[in-house]
Amino acid sequence: MIYSFWIFDRHCNCIYNRDFAQHKPASKDTVNRNNDKDEAKLLFGAIFSMSRLSSKLSDGNVLQSFRTGKYKAHLKETATGLRFILISDSNVGDLSGLLNQLYSDLYLNTIVKNGLSPVDFKEGMVIKNMSFINGADELITQNGDFI
Amino acid sequence: MPLEYDLLADNTINKSCLEYLLIETASISHEATVQVCDNENVRDHEQATASAEGNLTEEIGYNIGLKLVDYLLYLQKGKNGTGTPKFDQVVNIMKFVCKNVWESLFGRQIDNLRTNHRGTYVLVDRSFTMISRLDSPLGVQDTLNQTRKHYLWYPCGIIRGLLESLDIDSTVQAEVTEFPSVSFHIQTSK
């Protein structure tokens, strides 16, 4: 059960948010609704602090996921400062393969190599390309752990 | 001991680098012409910008096309070992463009070639790689508009340069009606 998908850029803004909890298709209610809410800021703060903590505990240590009683957060941070986060059920296994696919197959091809998409997301800009939204939905819903 | 470079031995570049470069040529020519038109205080600003930008990108493609034919024929000769081919009919030149040139530049061949045998040729590429990844966050209509304004000049220039180096005067226009299918309309004097 995958609950949501978030992307934060290197300016610490949430540039994409997709809510899967209610199994609704992509619309204004489920895509980019929580970008400015407290939930986004809290999530980013938690991820940021935990990553720094783990990298200070041991050299070259990268936080991949953390689990609480009710959810598990899977992280991927790229060299460019992008953070891909999947929030799922507590007993889901390893989603790093899915995160890597989302970055290298989807994000690179539809946003980075897309001449019409902004290179640097300014304050308030979010990802709105239908090709990205539909591609992300397809990749995530077809993953074995999405129920 | 002199350094020796065999430039033709490894004649591939990273495909992603090329894609990024081509995207930048479009946006830089736009920025540059906007600035130039701003400075010169032109009366019909938007139209002047559009045509100046188109000319700039088309010139870049034209210069590339001029030099491309010799290079490709040289490569072909290397593979076949026969003499350099001569093109007796313009139709054969068009077929050369459709097959060899498109294959070496974009990795695929032109899907459809039509002619009226009197100087007009239409090349249809149903999935043109230079524009296939374009997707505007503002929707399909904006994607089409942007494609028409910025991204079709370069391949038109390449085709015009190619034909010029084979001694054919031409005008080339590109149309996109159904994304990502592009049709190039070539008017030649022969």
Side-chain angles (χ1 to χ4, degrees):
Chain A
M1 183 67 234
I2 296 184
Y3 295 139
S4 54
F5 175 42
W6 306 72
I7 304 182
F8 291 89
D9 68 355
R10 65 167 195 267
H11 303 296
C12 311
N13 296 323
C14 179
I15 57 175
Y16 187 71
N17 160 234
R18 171 76 162 99
D19 190 11
F20 291 102
Q22 290 168 330
H23 289 275
K24 286 201 193 136
S27 68
K28 262 193 301 227
D29 289 329
T30 48
V31 180
N32 288 327
R33 197 172 56 110
N34 298 330
N35 293 37
D36 294 322
K37 300 252 168 52
D38 282 343
E39 191 181 339
K41 297 191 176 51
L42 285 173
L43 181 63
F44 182 79
I47 303 284
F48 186 76
S49 324
M50 298 273 285
S51 306
R52 283 194 65 180
L53 215 154
S54 42
S55 66
K56 283 204 201 279
L57 281 175
S58 161
D59 243 343
N61 199 8
V62 175
L63 183 68
Q64 288 181 326
S65 65
F66 64 83
R67 199 175 80 175
T68 74
K70 299 221 168 166
Y71 67 88
K72 184 172 179 182
H74 309 256
L75 328 170
K76 177 176 170 61
E77 183 166 348
T78 71
T80 49
L82 278 175
R83 293 174 169 91
F84 287 70
I85 304 168
L86 281 167
I87 310 279
S88 73
D89 199 24
S90 207
N91 55 10
V92 165
D94 182 30
L95 288 183
S96 57
L98 176 59
L99 281 168
N100 280 326
Q101 255 190 312
L102 282 166
Y103 176 56
S104 61
D105 290 341
L106 188 67
Y107 185 84
L108 276 187
N109 286 332
T110 55
I111 309 260
V112 180
K113 290 191 181 179
N114 176 3
L116 297 177
S117 142
V119 177
D120 201 20
F121 288 88
K122 305 244 175 353
E123 185 80 43
M125 283 166 97
V126 295
I127 297 179
K128 285 189 277 192
N129 313 38
M130 281 324 290
S131 56
F132 179 82
I133 296 176
N134 293 335
D137 280 359
E138 209 179 297
L139 274 178
I140 293 178
T141 52
Q142 281 174 5
N143 187 277
D145 289 312
F146 183 88
I147 301 172
Chain B
M1 195 158 123
L3 289 172
E4 288 178 41
Y5 293 97
D6 193 351
L7 288 171
L8 296 175
D10 189 7
N11 51 4
T12 57
I13 66 165
N14 188 319
K15 187 163 169 252
S16 298
C17 288
L18 183 61
E19 287 187 46
Y20 297 140
L21 182 66
L22 292 175
I23 293 175
E24 269 313 296
T25 51
S27 56
I28 282 202
S29 29
H30 179 70
E31 299 292 318
T33 46
V34 163
Q35 275 202 352
V36 168
C37 287
D38 268 341
N39 290 343
E40 287 181 9
N41 213 359
V42 183
R43 217 175 296 168
D44 190 359
H45 192 260
E46 208 177 297
Q47 189 152 10
T49 325
S51 60
E53 172 193 338
N55 288 339
L56 182 62
T57 334
E58 213 252 357
E59 274 296 306
I60 297 175
Y62 176 72
N63 288 326
I64 292 178
L66 277 182
K67 299 170 191 166
L68 199 55
V69 178
D70 285 319
Y71 179 68
L72 285 176
L73 290 178
Y74 177 86
L75 277 186
Q76 259 201 325
K77 176 189 172 193
K79 281 185 208 162
N80 296 341
T82 55
T84 51
K86 271 189 180 281
F87 295 107
D88 43 357
Q89 283 182 320
V90 183
V91 182
N92 290 337
I93 296 184
M94 288 302 164
K95 286 190 195 160
F96 172 73
V97 169
C98 294
K99 291 207 178 69
N100 305 48
V101 179
W102 232 250
E103 183 114 37
S104 65
L105 284 179
F106 305 117
R108 54 193 305 276
Q109 297 184 0
I110 293 266
D111 293 307
N112 211 345
L113 166 64
R114 293 197 295 270
T115 172
N116 73 352
H117 293 290
R118 258 176 282 154
T120 310
Y121 299 87
V122 179
L123 275 64
V124 179
D125 187 342
R126 276 192 215 115
S127 173
F128 191 43
T129 39
M130 273 190 70
I131 62 167
S132 61
R133 289 205 218 271
L134 292 178
D135 188 15
S136 165
L138 299 171
V140 181
Q141 201 48 46
D142 187 56
T143 310
L144 282 177
N145 290 342
Q146 300 269 33
T147 312
R148 286 194 196 110
K149 272 201 297 189
H150 305 300
Y151 291 91
L152 293 175
W153 299 103
Y154 178 74
C156 289
I158 293 187
I159 297 178
R160 191 168 72 91
L162 275 175
L163 295 176
E164 179 74 33
S165 75
L166 291 168
D167 201 24
I168 299 177
D169 263 323
S170 61
T171 50
V172 185
Q173 279 170 330
E175 259 172 32
V176 54
T177 38
E178 194 195 321
F179 198 86
S181 168
V182 182
S183 60
F184 295 94
H185 297 257
I186 308 174
Q187 289 281 115
T188 67
S189 46
K190 299 183 190 176

